[in-house]
Structure formats: C-alpha cells, structure tokens
Amino acid sequence: MRTAPRLLTAAATALALLLTGCSGDSGDDDGKITLQFQSLAWQKESVDANKALVEEWNATHPDVKVEYVQGSWDSVHDQLLTSFEGGEAPDIIHDASDDLADFAYGGYLADLGELLPDRLKSDIPKRSWQTTTFGGKVYGVPFLQEPRVLIANAKWLKKSGVRIPTPEKPWSWEEFRDVSEELGDGEDGKYGVAWPLKEPVSATLNLSLSTGGQMFHRGADGKVDVRFGEADEIMPRTVHDQVNDDKSASGTTLGMGGSDTLPGFFGGKYAMVPLGFSYRQQIVQQAPKGFDWQVLPAPAGSEGLAQGVSPQTLSVAEDSPHKKEAAEFIDFFLQPDNMVKLARGDWMLPTGKEALKDPALRTGKHDWAAGTALAEDLRSAPAQSVRGYPEWKDKVATPAFQEYYSGAIDLDELRERLVEDGNLVLARYQR
Amino acid sequence: MMRTKKSTRAAQYVALAAYLVFLAFPFLWLISTAFKPARELGSLDPTWIPKDPTLENFRQAFDEQPLLQAAGNSLVAAVSAALIAVVIATPMAYVMARHRTRLAKAATGWVVVSQAFPFVLIIIPLFLILKNLHLINSLLGLIMVYVVWSLPFALWMLVGYVRAVPAELEEAAAVDGASRVRTFVSVVAPLLAPGIVATAMFAFITAWNEFFFALVLLKTPEKQTLPVILNRFIGAEGVADLGPLAAAAFLATIPSLVIFAIIQKRITGGMLAGAVKA
C-alpha cells in the first residue's frame, strides 16, 4: 500500500508540471514594477477608500503598479506567517501593531527607518511610532488608532442629572463608580454600565495606563517582569466592585464582545458601554430611530486620559525586492488627506498630526470631535513588544481576570496568578 | 417481534422532533437574520420572523463581495475534488478490502493516523511544494490539495462499502469466466454506487466548506472561494457585518442543500450498505 501515496504524488506532480504554464505569478514586465498591497479593510467605505487610493497611485505612477489584495482580520496572522515562510508575502502589509512583534523578531519585516521620508516621520507622533518600534528598528507605520470610550444613553444621563464628563474635565475612576451606581444598580434590570470583557486583558492593560498602571517592567538587562502594584489595581478593582458589590455593572455582559452588548444598550438596560470608538458606526446603523447617544471619555487617573492602543499599520516585507517603491507608496497612501479618507472609512482616528486637524474629524456629527480630542493621550499598548506576552495573556491573565471580575477570586489571588505564574511564563522567553 | 407501545412511539417522535429543532435552529436563525434590517438586528427582543423583512442584506452582500464568482470557484474546486477523489479511491478501496495483507492493514492504520495531522503542520511544506510548481493562486493547486486531503477518509469509507459486497458474487462471476476488471466494473461497482455517491458527497462538502488552505493558497479575489470571501464580512476583534454575512452564508448553504436533496436516497442507501460488517 506504500505505493499508493507515491503514485498519487507522482501523478499530481506530473499533472502540475504539465499545467505549470497555465498559472503563475505576475512578474515585472517591461521593466515595470508590480507591488502587492494586502489590505485588511473590510467595511464598504473603507474598502472603497483603499481601492480609490490604489487606483490614483496607479494612474500617476505608470512604472510602479500596485495590486490590491484583500486580506481579512480574522486570519491575517496565520496567512501572513505561511506567506512569509513560503517567500510569497505581499510587498506592502496591512496589520495591527500588536501582531507585528513576532514577525519583526522573526526577520520577516523590513526596517523602515531609512526608507520613509521625513514628512511622514515627523507627521506621526513619537508615541505612535513606539507601537511599531522593536529593538530600535521601525517595522511598520502606525496610521489608524481608536481609543476606548464610554458610549452613553444621552437621555438617561441627562435625566439622572449626573455631571457629564468632557476631555478637559473627565470622571475619575472613583467618580465613574459613583455615577454608575447612581445611574442603575440592577434593580428593574437596569445597570449603570455594561462591561463587555470577553477579551479582558487588553482592555484592562490599556485603560490602566490612565492610573499609571504598567504591569510590565523592563530592567536594565532588557528583561521584563510582571508587577501588579497599586496603580495597576485601580481599574480592575473598579470593575470588580461595580459587578460584585454595587451591582451597577451587569455580570452577564462580562463574557460578551462589544457588539453583543448593543441590543441591551439600545433596549435601555445599560446607561453606558465602554467600547472602541469605531463602534459608533454600528450604533448609527442599528440604534432605534430617535435613540440619543453620546461619546464620553473613559475615566481618568493620575496620568489623565492616557490609554494604550494598538494602531493599524503598514509594513514592508523583508523579502520584497522593491522596498524603496513600497515605502513611496506608503508615503502617498498616508498623505494627510488620504489618512482622513481612511479614518472616516473605518470610523477611527488617524495618527497623523495634519490629518487630525481636518474639519471632517472635528465635527460634532457622530461625536467625531469627542474622539479626536483624545488622540494626544493615546500611547503604545503595554506589553506589545514583550516576548511571551501572547502566552501570558492566554494562559494566565485571561482566566485570572475573568475569574476576578466575576467574583470567583479576590485581588490577592489575582495578583499572585498574574505575577507568579506570569513571570514563570515570561522567563521561558528571556533565557 | 415486539410491538412498540404507543407511549414509547410518542416519546420517540417527540425526541426526533426535538432533535430536528436542535439541528434546524442555526439554519433557521441564519435565514431570519439574513432578512432583518440593521435596526432589527440590534433589537433586545429578537424575533423569528422579521417585522420589516428586507433584501437589503443580500443587495449589500452582492455589492460588497464577488459572491457569484466565489461560488463558481467553490463549485469547480469542490466538484473536481470530489470526482477525482472518488475515481482514485474506489479501485484503491477495492484492493484494500479484498486483499487483507499486512500491508493493507498498515495502510488502513496510516489512513486513520493521517486524519490526525493538523492543517498548520502541513500547510508550510505544502505551500512550498505548490510554489515550486507555480500552483499558488491557482484553483488547480487547491483542487490537488483537496483531493489529497479528502482521499484518506474517502478510502476508509469506501473500504467499508466494498466489504459489504458479498465476495460470493465475485466468485460466481469468476466461475462464469469474468476477469478481475470485468468483475469489478460489472458486478462490484454497481453495488458500490450508493457508497460512491456518499463518499463523493463527503469529499464535496469537505472542499466546499474548507477555509484555511483556500485562504493561504489563493490570493486574488478572482480565484478565491466562498469561505474566504465570507470571512471578509468579519472585521477586527471579531466585529461582524452581521446582516450581509448572514445573507451571504445563507446563499452559500444552498448548493449543498440542493445536492443533498437530489441524492438523499442514494446516500441513505450507501450509508446503510457501508454499515454492514463483512
């Protein structure tokens, strides 16, 4: 029977060789360069904006053609990994900064430090470049980002008489807890807030930056260890107490994703839902007619409104033979006007300082201005350059936070697991 | 033969109905979602029958993604893979079933073990092989992968069906002077027809639903299959464009349902035949 697979392989190979001429990659013809640009845009406005920019480039750059390739967020990591290993990666790669570290350390991405023009380097703030800088090298251009905001039932808030926070005068975490309790304590099935914490780790780490929480600390020797100090406790303790003591937060939403909480929000069960800024699009599409909502800044701490983000990025594959041209396309693609188009298509904020000045992003319509006001406070998400973070997150932190938020374990147990179990995991990556 | 009590019969029907409802629930919910307007999708009180049914999700799905082209690609890949797998597996299964040597037993064991390999283990070497053959971004390359992927299980299924065919029939044919090949073609193959159809159906469904190989091997939208295109309705952090996704997914189930409806009787017969121990 051992012959069967051999025969199969031989037959398949012969068939493939016969048909080799029927397929294959499009190479450089007539000295013209073809670049593949894999985009993860998925909403219609965003895809349209991406394709329009590619067409514009192709119309004005006859010698460097860009080919639009559609990718998807859901599977981009595996798909890219396979493409890198197979030497078939697209030249220009759209991804998120928290997915870049593995590829950067693996040598799959080009260092863009010398390839990008000063215009682009200076247009994007240093704090955003930090999200894509690993070991002193820049592996991507961060161009779209979104803060986590509180999306509130405006009518409910107004009726309650609570102080409405602004970016200039936000709620502290303590005040947020008090307001939530005032808005609803679970009686009649109404809650002040619904925390969708199906993925609790990034939400907790990113929002804890406002209180000075850092969790990951890099020593002089470059090694990272996990600590869970007082600054790290404030945000998770607030959520825990809202759910378990005050009953101002619904326990049932802890296992939900952001979209899952929207029906309850529209149905008047929750006064506020902490969500990404781009969720406004779903709210505009799905909210009942006349539903009055507004965007509020997330609570602030000792570090003000600071919070972590993992921006969308554009990178260039190390294997690309046309890195210079790829960088030129990225420069064109991320001109301020184009960044505005991309941001509007994705309902997110651009990283570029010039783009952020655009009136279209400072309008009160759909509360664009409320989000734009937060752009300066966005920082690199903690730990995204820490090796071993994905394992720490999946095996240690996710179950620990889930149990803590639901009341199954206390703060001491949470600390013990995050730190002791966590450092054992990280140690394996830092030998 | 014992007569079934009325109460037992009633309980059986209730259990069957409950099972059917359980099986049908996701599909019915999919249909319901496909016809709901966006505002109804966000309602706290979900309804089975849309209050304000709309075709907007279908319009949007077709407008945003090349669904028909993708369905065509899926159909070509799945039908080709099913046919080729059956053509290769049938004679192999006959040999394995009728010649019970150590080699045949080892081959059967290998077939079972090969099903345990995860996709991620083989995708990179496979990618490299197909790249060298210039078969990346080619439906032909994908079909080859699907054939190889479905072949072991197809073989395993067909061995069971071959063993269910009484060897005495072949002996009688041999007595009448028929050759091995003639016996196989004229006596065994017609009896195997239900099993072959069931196996082809399995290979078809496997290829029709397959996502990961298609995602990695096909790059341009003109070549991509339905599961890859459906994935585009899902954004970062699992946020989905639910209405158009449901509409597109509903359309994607139709070919399988139609094929099942057409050959249902043959499949049932084939499964029963395969269940008989030789």
Side-chain angles (χ1 to χ4, degrees), chain B residues 97-167:
Chain B
R98 288 294 183 245
H99 298 275
R100 297 194 180 188
T101 60
R102 279 186 191 170
L103 197 61
K105 282 180 187 171
T108 309
W110 172 245
V111 164
V112 176
V113 170
S114 70
Q115 292 295 299
F117 293 150
F119 280 21
V120 287
L121 194 72
I122 60 166
I123 188 68
I124 290 173
L126 193 67
F127 190 92
L128 291 170
I129 292 168
L130 290 174
K131 186 190 164 195
N132 288 332
L133 296 171
H134 298 278
L135 286 173
I136 298 292
N137 202 28
S138 150
L139 273 182
L140 179 66
L142 188 70
I143 291 165
M144 285 168 61
V145 172
Y146 286 169
V147 170
V148 174
W149 190 251
S150 59
L151 204 55
F153 196 77
L155 198 58
W156 199 32
M157 277 178 83
L158 279 170
V159 166
Y161 290 116
V162 174
R163 284 183 183 157
V165 176

Side-chain angles (χ1 to χ4, degrees), chain A residues 155-313:
Chain A
K155 207 170 162 184
W156 189 338
L157 249 66
K158 199 174 174 186
K159 197 176 165 190
S160 72
V162 299
R163 182 179 76 79
I164 308 294
T166 62
E168 295 75 33
K169 207 176 171 199
W171 286 329
S172 66
W173 282 97
E174 203 175 335
E175 192 180 1
F176 169 61
R177 186 178 162 187
D178 293 340
V179 167
S180 301
E181 202 173 358
E182 203 170 320
L183 289 168
D185 56 5
E187 280 189 26
D188 306 330
K190 291 179 185 294
Y191 297 90
V193 63
W195 282 97
L197 289 174
K198 188 178 173 185
E199 301 286 344
V201 182
S202 61
T204 306
L205 292 185
N206 288 342
L207 287 173
S208 287
L209 280 187
S210 67
T211 60
Q214 196 68 43
M215 197 93 75
F216 293 88
H217 299 265
R218 196 176 290 275
D221 59 354
K223 289 188 177 177
V224 174
D225 69 320
V226 185
R227 295 176 218 153
F228 190 70
E230 280 181 26
D232 300 292
E233 290 174 9
I234 296 170
M235 182 270 168
R237 202 173 54 217
T238 304
V239 177
H240 172 275
D241 292 350
Q242 285 177 321
V243 173
N244 297 286
D245 299 340
D246 308 342
K247 310 291 180 195
S248 60
S250 166
T252 55
T253 65
L254 289 175
M256 291 183 182
S259 304
D260 305 327
T261 58
L262 291 181
F265 179 57
F266 299 145
K269 282 185 76 174
Y270 324 120
M272 299 179 290
V273 191
L275 291 171
F277 192 52
S278 65
Y279 274 84
R280 291 169 305 132
Q281 188 194 25
Q282 283 193 53
I283 292 171
V284 169
Q285 286 177 345
Q286 296 179 10
K289 280 177 186 165
F291 183 81
D292 193 7
W293 58 276
Q294 71 182 110
V295 172
L296 307 175
S302 59
E303 302 297 314
L305 287 167
Q307 64 170 284
V309 286
S310 296
Q312 291 187 22
T313 55

Side-chain angles (χ1 to χ4, degrees), chain A residues 1 4 8 12 16 19 23 42 44 69-70 72-75 82 86 88 263-264 266 279 282 284-287, chain B residues 38-39 42-44 63 88 92 103 107 124 127 131 134-135 140 144 151 212 215-216 219 231-233 235-236 239:
Chain A
M1 189 53 219
L8 263 179
L19 292 159
S23 61
W42 68 286
K44 190 176 184 317
V69 178
Q70 186 70 58
S72 69
W73 283 106
D74 201 34
S75 49
T82 313
E88 285 281 323
F266 299 145
Y279 274 84
Q282 283 193 53
V284 169
Q285 286 177 345
Q286 296 179 10
Chain B
R39 293 194 194 286
S43 169
L44 188 58
D63 192 34
I88 296 173
M92 284 172 71
L103 197 61
I124 290 173
F127 190 92
K131 186 190 164 195
H134 298 278
L135 286 173
L140 179 66
M144 285 168 61
L151 204 55
F212 192 58
L215 171 80
V216 170
K219 291 181 173 181
N231 200 243
R232 290 202 204 145
F233 291 103
V239 177

